[in-house]
Structures are given as C-alpha cells and as structure tokens.
Amino acid sequence: MQKTSSRLLTLLSLLQTPRDWSGDDLAGRLGITARTVRRDIGRLRELGYPIRALKGPSGGYRLAAGSRLPPLLFDDGQAVALALALRAAAADPALGEDAARALATVRQVLPPRLRQRVDMLRITAVPPPGTAPAAPSSSAPAAPSSPAAPVGTRLLAELGRVVRAREELRFDYCGPDTDGPAGPPRRTQPHHLLTWHGRWYVIAWDLDRADWRTFRVDRMRPRVPTGRRFTPRALPGRDVAAFVTGRFRGTDGTGTDWPCRGEVVLGLPGRAVAPFAPDGVVEELGPDRCRLTLGSWSWTGLAAALGRFDTDIQVIGPPELADAFTMLAARYAKAGAGGGTGAGGGGGTRPGPPRRRR
C-alpha cells in the first residue's frame, strides 16, 4: 500500500480529471478500501480542496471550483506545456509581468529533468502589428483561417534545444495539402523558435538556398541526428519581430513597412474608417470625408482592400495605385458583363501577394 502522502497525491491527480468518481472506482485505482477513500477525501478537504460528494449507491466525488486556487498536480507533459505557454505569454505587454512571475514559480518546483527541457526553450512571441475586427478594409494578411496541425510539446522542446545548442537541423517539410515531404530534406541553421498568429515557426538559414526562410513547425518532420554546431548569423534588421513582420508583408525582412503604400480620400467619416484600418493613418477632413494612408503587399491588393469600403474613392497617390484601380475596374467590368477570365489591361502592378520563397 502506498504511503499516505503519496496516496493523497495520486488521489488528487485522479480527481483533477474532469469526471465523477465513485468511491468504489477510487478504491480500486488506489488499492484501498472505500473507508480509506473517505478518510483521504476528508484530508484533502482540510487542505483546501473543494471536493463535492455525489449521491448514489456507491457514492461519488468530484473536484469542484473553489473560492481560491489550491495547489495543483501536473504530469510531466502538462508541466512542460504550462511552462511553454507562460514563456510565450511573457512577451505580451498586458500579461508579461504576471506570466513571467508564474513561469518563475513553476520553474522553481520543476524536477531537474523537466527544468532543463524548459530552459532549452527559447521562444519569441511576435505580436501582430495591428489587430482589428474582420472587416473589409484591412489590407494586412489575415490570421490563418485554416487550423494548423497539432504541434506537440516534444517537438517544440526538441526544436528549442536545437536552437539553443546552435546545431544544424535536417527535416522533411510537408506541403500545405499533404502529409508527405514537398521535395528533398531541408538543411538549415535554426536561429529562432517563435509564435505568430497562433502558429509556431522556425526562422532558419537555409544552407541549400543560401537565404533566410520561415518554416511552419506543424509541417516540419525533423530527422536525426542533428548536424554540427554553427556560428549564428546576424538576422536582417537584427530584430526578430521586425524581421517576421516584414517577411509576412512581402519585404526582405529588414523593415516593417509595406512594400506598397498609397493615399486616398474616402467618402466616409474618419470614425467609421479608423477601426478597420489598424495599420493605416486616418485624417478627418469633414463630417463625411477622411484621408487614409494604407499599405499592402501589392498595389492590386491595396486597391482591392480600399474598394471594399463601398464608398467614393479619390486617389491622391502614387500613380501605381491609380493604375491598379484601372486594372481592377476593367476586370470587374468584364466579370459583370459575363466575360472570361483575363488580366484586363494595366501595367506596372504586381498581380498579388508575393509567392512564399521555398
């Protein structure tokens, strides 16, 4: 039979499972009598755990919500996942201080084998440059609409270890619509493990392409063993958040500005435009007019985003934005007339967001 303290911890671990436990079930799991279960339940209640008794032939128990947070018991996977979430949350301006203190508390009581795994994780939480309701005016790439495949804590811990150890990493990289590798294995020097819009990414120097790449972790299938150690390279712009923001905006990562930025006058009051242009600059021109400066990854994308405001638009500049409106007008007119697909005239504009470099 287990010692009383060990048995109480095992009982608490069972009760933390979101279900009702009969006295007989608990007695069978713990190898004790129903009477001993009742005594142990009483001991946990004295320690502050709100355990409710359920009516029934064999009786039952459930761990209920209490007025204060009692000590909790986590298994190894839960402890690492909790520390991982706290480390990511520590970068949030609103949660940073509390998350950092909570992480320090959790780390202090972790056993050495888990503390080492947590310390290996170097995570950069990159907040999106602006958040707003899903509205027609945003020209920024939206948060991923399709759910990412689950990423286990083991994979994140291993990637964090490789990043910290500066070891070359080989992995198969799956395509967006398949579980199989899209091409030969990638050979990289991983520099950063980060979160962006709820997804995990690795920023790495691709040895075969001699350039920086951003890889989605849920598509990575690491190969073993890892490679030799490497000397870290300087990231363009030397700032992880700026680099990631710039890459997702279609730049080389050295800056966060949109590659295409234009200025228009809209037939709407500024208060109606501002909530839906988090990356833009809105200037009130009157009760029903405002000036909007906004950016996008292409002139066509910017024109399309501005057109969805469903109001009169006056282009202030540059000429590339006016050309994009002309091209879109020809496309829409052809579509409205029942014509086929086609570019529909216009030149000097990029047809859409840049293709992700592989």
Side-chain angles (χ1 to χ4, degrees):
M1 181 181 295
Q2 292 177 302
K3 293 182 179 179
T4 301
S5 57
S6 176
R7 193 175 65 240
L8 287 177
L9 289 175
T10 304
L11 175 59
L12 177 59
S13 177
L14 292 173
L15 291 172
Q16 285 180 178
T17 304
R19 55 162 287 187
D20 298 336
W21 290 91
S22 70
D24 291 341
D25 287 341
L26 291 174
R29 287 291 192 99
L30 297 171
I32 57 178
T33 65
R35 182 179 179 181
T36 304
V37 169
R38 290 192 294 271
R39 285 203 303 264
D40 287 349
I41 292 292
R43 292 188 179 101
L44 289 177
R45 285 171 174 161
E46 291 174 359
L47 292 173
Y49 293 96
I51 301 174
R52 292 178 52 192
L54 306 175
K55 295 181 179 180
S58 301
Y61 304 96
R62 177 192 304 162
L63 184 62
S67 59
R68 62 187 179 86
L69 183 65
L72 301 176
L73 185 66
F74 298 102
D75 60 30
D76 288 2
Q78 291 173 324
V80 173
L82 177 61
L84 190 67
L86 289 172
R87 180 154 290 180
D92 189 311
L95 305 174
E97 182 178 352
D98 290 338
R101 289 192 298 110
L103 177 60
T105 301
V106 171
R107 184 187 177 281
Q108 184 177 3
V109 297
L110 287 176
R113 68 181 189 281
L114 296 184
R115 188 181 305 137
Q116 183 178 13
R117 288 175 60 185
V118 171
D119 289 345
M120 285 291 185
L121 290 169
R122 287 186 173 179
I123 300 168
T124 303
V126 180
T131 56
S137 64
S138 177
S139 61
S145 56
S146 59
V151 177
T153 55
R154 285 182 177 274
L155 175 57
L156 291 175
E158 174 61 15
L159 291 176
R161 185 198 68 79
V162 173
V163 169
R164 184 184 181 92
R166 301 302 186 193
E167 295 176 354
E168 293 182 357
L169 178 67
R170 296 183 307 126
F171 58 89
D172 294 314
Y173 197 57
C174 301
D177 302 317
T178 177
D179 289 334
R186 311 300 285 261
R187 298 189 312 115
T188 64
Q189 295 175 342
H191 282 63
H192 299 280
L193 175 65
L194 59 94
T195 61
W196 165 276
H197 275 306
R199 280 183 172 157
W200 291 94
Y201 295 88
V202 168
I203 297 178
W205 177 262
D206 192 308
L207 294 169
D208 294 322
R209 292 159 179 79
D211 195 9
W212 292 99
R213 293 290 187 269
T214 304
F215 298 100
R216 274 177 47 174
V217 171
D218 61 308
R219 295 181 182 175
M220 296 174 65
R221 306 292 184 267
R223 294 192 173 198
V224 292
T226 54
R228 61 185 181 182
R229 294 180 180 270
F230 63 89
T231 301
R233 299 170 183 265
L235 196 67
R238 300 183 181 276
D239 180 80
V240 179
F243 175 81
V244 174
T245 301
R247 278 299 177 102
F248 277 98
R249 287 181 168 183
T251 71
D252 60 0
T254 57
T256 60
D257 288 339
W258 290 104
C260 302
R261 182 171 291 272
E263 183 178 344
V264 298
V265 172
L266 300 175
L268 289 172
R271 65 180 181 276
V273 174
F276 305 119
D279 290 335
V281 177
V282 181
E283 178 187 355
E284 194 81 59
L285 298 179
D288 57 357
R289 296 172 70 246
C290 71
R291 188 194 318 272
L292 172 61
T293 303
L294 195 64
S296 183
W297 56 77
S298 73
W299 295 114
T300 307
L302 179 57
L306 292 169
R308 288 179 290 176
F309 270 110
D310 193 22
T311 187
D312 292 337
I313 302 173
Q314 178 189 353
V315 178
I316 305 301
E320 290 85 352
L321 179 57
D323 292 342
F325 273 113
T326 300
M327 183 180 68
L328 285 180
R331 284 182 179 173
Y332 294 156
K334 191 171 184 178
T341 60
T349 62
R350 295 163 62 185
R355 295 181 180 178
R356 184 68 51 82
R357 290 176 291 180
R358 301 194 60 81

